[in-house]
Amino acid sequence: QLQLAESGGGLVQPGGSLTLSCAVSGATSGHYALGWFRQRPGKEREGVASISTYDNRTLYHNALRGRFAISRDAAKNTVYLQMKYLRSEDTAVYYCAADPDGSTWLTIARSEYDFWGQGTRVTVSS
């Protein structure tokens, strides 16, 4: 059973940068997709980015591409979300998730992801 645990959230000033981490454990042999999602206050959970453990292909929400970058360290079984030029509207709970069927077909659709972390809170404020 896949387990995911996010960390790295906190308070950051507008224009600042922050990197989130997600430790993945319990994976069996094989590949899957890992994704980052966020839920802003009063809004639905939305996909941010995803990455394949098979070939490191990535997929981004078009509005966030350029400011956010997803990456992974296979040896550490960890996926990262690097965020820069942060804005107040980036304030949200950020979640990582896994799609066991998505190693070669990447999506950022919530319904495709079966395993979720507990979330880590990011607050962008001066």
Side-chain angles (χ1 to χ4, degrees):
Q1 186 89 315
L2 283 169
Q3 294 179 313
L4 305 100
E6 306 94 334
S7 62
L11 177 65
V12 61
Q13 293 185 349
S17 300
L18 197 66
T19 298
L20 307 180
S21 300
C22 176
V24 182
S25 62
T28 59
S29 181
H31 294 281
Y32 45 90
L34 295 167
W36 284 99
F37 296 77
R38 71 181 185 182
Q39 189 158 16
R40 293 180 285 170
K43 298 185 177 181
E44 69 276 10
R45 193 171 300 184
E46 62 186 348
V48 173
S50 62
I51 187 168
S52 171
T53 69
Y54 175 69
D55 57 9
N56 280 330
R57 288 184 302 113
T58 58
L59 177 67
Y60 291 92
H61 190 296
N62 284 334
L64 301 176
R65 182 182 291 110
R67 291 200 300 118
F68 289 18
I70 190 170
S71 62
R72 60 185 281 267
D73 185 330
K76 295 180 179 179
N77 293 317
T78 301
V79 62
Y80 304 95
L81 182 67
Q82 299 166 276
M83 306 180 292
K84 63 180 181 180
Y85 304 118
L86 286 163
R87 309 164 181 170
S88 295
E89 53 263 43
D90 294 320
T91 294
V93 177
Y94 285 75
Y95 300 87
C96 63
D99 173 13
D101 301 318
S103 62
T104 58
W105 178 258
L106 290 175
T107 77
I108 51 171
R110 289 172 294 169
S111 62
E112 298 298 318
Y113 286 77
D114 302 306
F115 303 96
W116 295 83
Q118 80 286 348
T120 187
R121 187 83 164 98
V122 173
T123 301
V124 184
S125 177
S126 59

